[in-house]
Amino acid sequence: MGILNSGLRRLALMTLALSAALPAQAQYPFETTVEKEEERFQAIIKNHSGNASFEFIQGITLEVQWWELLGEPVNYYKLKWNRGTNFQLPSGTTRDDLSKYPDLLRRFDAMKPLSFEFEIDFELKDMKPNCGPTIKDTDTFARGSRFVNSTKHLLIGKNGEVQSSLSPGSGSWADFATWLNDETYSPEVVKKTFVCATTLTLYKISTLKAEIPEREIAAIDAAYAKREKEKEQKAEEEKKKKEDKLKDLAARLNGEKKAAAPDSSSDGIAGRLLNAEKKLEARLEAERKAREEAERRRLEEERRQRELEAQINKCNSSAFTGWNHTYGTCEKRSLKDSDLRISDTFTVATKKVKITVVDHNSAQDDDYQLFVNEKYIGDVKNITGGSTTLTANLQSGENLIELRLLRDRGNGTGLKLQISPGNYESQFNGTHNHSYIINVIE
């Protein structure tokens, strides 16, 4: 079996090497190439199929981060998977069908794969001059495969949600990859190849294993079928009760006709019974409508209150606006208002800047969202000791930079803000929003 697997692996990698002559988009539709930045490769590779819309898993997206630390390889992954847009339970029940039972719908939306195992085909390219020895000193390609699984490397989130690993993982250069043609290289050569490479291409990601929650799928399907059956039975019972009531009324009317009271009106007893029945039904219908109207008004008032609260929160969350409770309006306010938390003010001479947030300690810091002049730029979710760099376009004059608290990690905040060009650096602390003013003088 080992010889067979080795032969198949050799054939697969040789096919990968020969396919370089074919158009990249046709051979590898999700191929991606990135350059090394700050001694780290960071790339995103997808595997998505429109033909799998009826499957539980239609596609996956994996963010790959590889770097070298203290002489050893380090990896960090972020995984997102997507359920098939037309996925159905075994009975044919769809997500829309489950919407009538909110608890079953929540269980359906919470389902996720139990485990994953992937194979990533990659190539290290563009070696630095006078750097080696590397694999490319003796071979044409530095191509190989890495195996990633949910036991060692990944956490699995809900459908459509990006789930990050808890912390970076490490290994050894000896088992860094399976190389083209099953060649073996010394750990030092593998390390030098990685360190010297300036470009990484991810050709494809193959799903070797995907364990779906079959027991939960079957359980939700059975629960839905049971409730639908109970609903049908209840409808039949209500129908039978109504029919029995009509039969009883008909029998009573027939009996009264046979023994009419001497003082009966010209309309007869049957007519009086029918009128009484109609009045009762009319009264019950009026009460039902009154209850429905009261419930409608209550829900409408709750909706209006929620919308108002959302407007107030949105207005007050901005450094540029504040809610006027007297007039019930969102009003613009000056950057000089005393309630605006400004950490610092500085000046730059260009409109395009790079904003970097650096974790300079050994604790996991809080997560933030970066806004420039009320425009969302990106998330700042640093791993311990990591950094995030985002590019922003400023306007002439006064600009507002905001770091809005996204998630309290429980360890507080101790980060550095760096802005270039201009070589500005400022340390900020505390689990709350942080703001800065940039003056652009051209």
Side-chain angles (χ1 to χ4, degrees):
M1 182 62 72
I3 296 174
L4 178 60
N5 288 339
S6 175
L8 292 174
R9 180 69 197 140
R10 181 180 297 107
L11 177 61
L13 287 172
M14 288 178 66
T15 303
L16 175 62
L18 293 173
S19 65
L22 298 175
Q25 282 299 108
Q27 187 69 17
Y28 305 111
F30 300 109
E31 173 186 330
T32 181
T33 298
V34 297
E35 295 181 355
K36 185 182 289 183
E37 294 186 5
E38 298 182 357
E39 300 305 316
R40 179 186 303 220
F41 288 121
Q42 183 172 351
I44 294 177
I45 186 73
K46 298 181 179 180
N47 182 358
H48 189 277
S49 173
N51 297 326
S53 65
F54 285 94
E55 301 294 334
F56 185 76
I57 302 171
Q58 185 171 2
I60 59 98
T61 302
L62 186 68
E63 179 179 324
V64 175
Q65 295 186 36
W66 294 340
W67 70 98
E68 181 261 343
L69 181 65
L70 300 177
E72 297 297 333
V74 181
N75 57 74
Y76 186 72
Y77 300 99
K78 296 181 181 180
L79 172 68
K80 180 178 76 172
W81 69 278
N82 294 99
R83 187 174 54 242
T85 53
N86 298 312
F87 173 71
Q88 299 177 354
L89 299 178
S91 64
T93 301
T94 66
R95 185 181 184 278
D96 289 342
D97 295 332
L98 293 173
S99 61
K100 66 183 75 172
Y101 304 116
D103 60 320
L104 295 183
L105 182 61
R106 285 192 296 269
R107 288 174 61 183
F108 182 89
D109 288 339
M111 287 193 300
K112 58 185 180 180
L114 303 179
S115 65
F116 273 123
E117 185 175 345
F118 303 115
E119 180 182 12
I120 305 172
D121 290 333
F122 71 93
E123 181 178 359
L124 296 170
K125 303 177 181 178
D126 303 329
M127 302 297 159
K128 300 175 185 176
N130 302 320
C131 182
T134 72
I135 292 175
K136 297 196 72 171
D137 291 342
T138 57
D139 290 298
T140 305
F141 303 102
R143 288 186 177 178
S145 296
R146 293 198 70 179
F147 296 90
V148 180
N149 61 65
S150 53
T151 302
K152 293 182 179 180
H153 313 99
L154 305 172
L155 291 179
I156 304 173
K158 293 182 181 180
N159 168 47
E161 294 184 357
V162 177
Q163 181 64 57
S164 303
S165 303
L166 287 176
S167 60
S170 61
S172 66
W173 296 111
D175 57 8
F176 179 78
T178 301
W179 298 101
L180 182 67
N181 296 330
D182 282 340
E183 293 288 348
T184 58
Y185 305 96
S186 69
E188 182 62 25
V189 170
V190 175
K191 174 184 175 182
K192 281 292 186 179
T193 302
F194 183 87
V195 171
C196 295
T198 62
T199 304
L200 169 68
T201 294
L202 302 181
Y203 288 102
K204 66 175 182 177
I205 179 171
S206 304
T207 303
L208 303 181
K209 176 184 177 183
E211 185 180 359
I212 66 173
E214 295 181 349
R215 295 180 64 178
E216 180 66 357
I217 291 174
I220 295 174
D221 203 15
Y224 177 80
K226 180 181 178 181
R227 294 189 190 184
E228 287 293 285
K229 184 176 181 180
E230 291 173 348
K231 186 177 179 181
E232 292 177 1
Q233 291 176 343
K234 185 176 181 180
E236 287 295 326
E237 291 173 357
E238 292 294 329
K239 180 180 178 181
K240 188 175 184 305
K241 286 180 181 179
K242 188 174 182 179
E243 292 175 348
D244 291 343
K245 182 179 179 181
L246 292 175
K247 288 180 181 178
D248 180 63
L249 178 60
R252 287 164 56 198
L253 291 175
N254 289 334
E256 291 291 348
K257 283 181 179 179
K258 292 178 181 178
D263 60 347
S264 62
S265 67
S266 59
D267 293 334
I269 295 176
R272 293 203 306 275
L273 286 173
L274 284 173
N275 288 336
E277 184 74 17
K278 289 180 180 179
K279 288 180 180 180
L280 176 61
E281 290 179 351
R283 181 171 63 82
L284 294 175
E285 179 66 14
E287 292 176 353
R288 184 187 65 79
K289 289 182 177 180
R291 289 193 300 270
E292 289 181 350
E293 178 63 17
E295 179 66 10
R296 186 192 67 77
R297 291 180 179 179
R298 184 185 68 81
L299 294 175
E300 178 66 16
E301 181 61 27
E302 289 182 355
R303 182 188 65 79
R304 291 177 180 176
Q305 187 63 31
R306 287 195 301 269
E307 290 180 351
L308 178 60
E309 291 176 357
Q311 291 177 3
I312 294 174
N313 291 336
K314 181 179 179 181
C315 180
N316 291 336
S317 67
S318 169
F320 290 97
T321 55
W323 186 260
N324 188 322
H325 290 274
T326 301
Y327 298 102
T329 56
C330 185
E331 298 181 355
K332 193 172 183 180
R333 60 188 179 187
S334 169
L335 288 176
K336 304 304 181 181
D337 286 354
S338 60
D339 61 346
L340 179 62
R341 179 185 289 114
I342 300 297
S343 301
D344 204 353
T345 303
F346 52 96
T347 301
V348 296
T350 179
K351 291 184 178 180
K352 187 172 184 180
V353 296
K354 287 188 176 181
I355 302 174
T356 302
V357 180
V358 182
D359 179 8
H360 62 85
N361 55 31
S362 60
Q364 174 64 60
D365 288 279
D366 301 323
D367 294 340
Y368 289 84
Q369 287 183 322
L370 177 64
F371 285 79
V372 174
N373 296 331
E374 286 294 285
K375 180 181 178 182
Y376 170 75
I377 303 302
D379 288 350
V380 178
K381 299 179 179 179
N382 287 347
I383 62 174
T384 302
S387 64
T388 300
T389 300
L390 300 167
T391 301
N393 292 314
L394 307 181
Q395 60 190 15
S396 297
E398 201 170 61
N399 298 263
L400 179 67
I401 293 181
E402 296 177 273
L403 285 161
R404 299 181 185 177
L405 182 64
L406 176 64
R407 180 182 179 188
D408 183 352
R409 292 279 193 165
N411 298 317
T413 291
L415 298 169
K416 285 183 180 179
L417 178 72
Q418 300 173 344
I419 299 179
S420 61
N423 297 323
Y424 177 83
E425 180 173 291
S426 176
Q427 180 173 331
F428 61 94
N429 302 286
T431 303
H432 53 70
N433 296 343
H434 299 269
S435 304
Y436 298 80
I437 289 180
I438 302 179
N439 290 311
V440 176
I441 301 177
E442 298 182 285

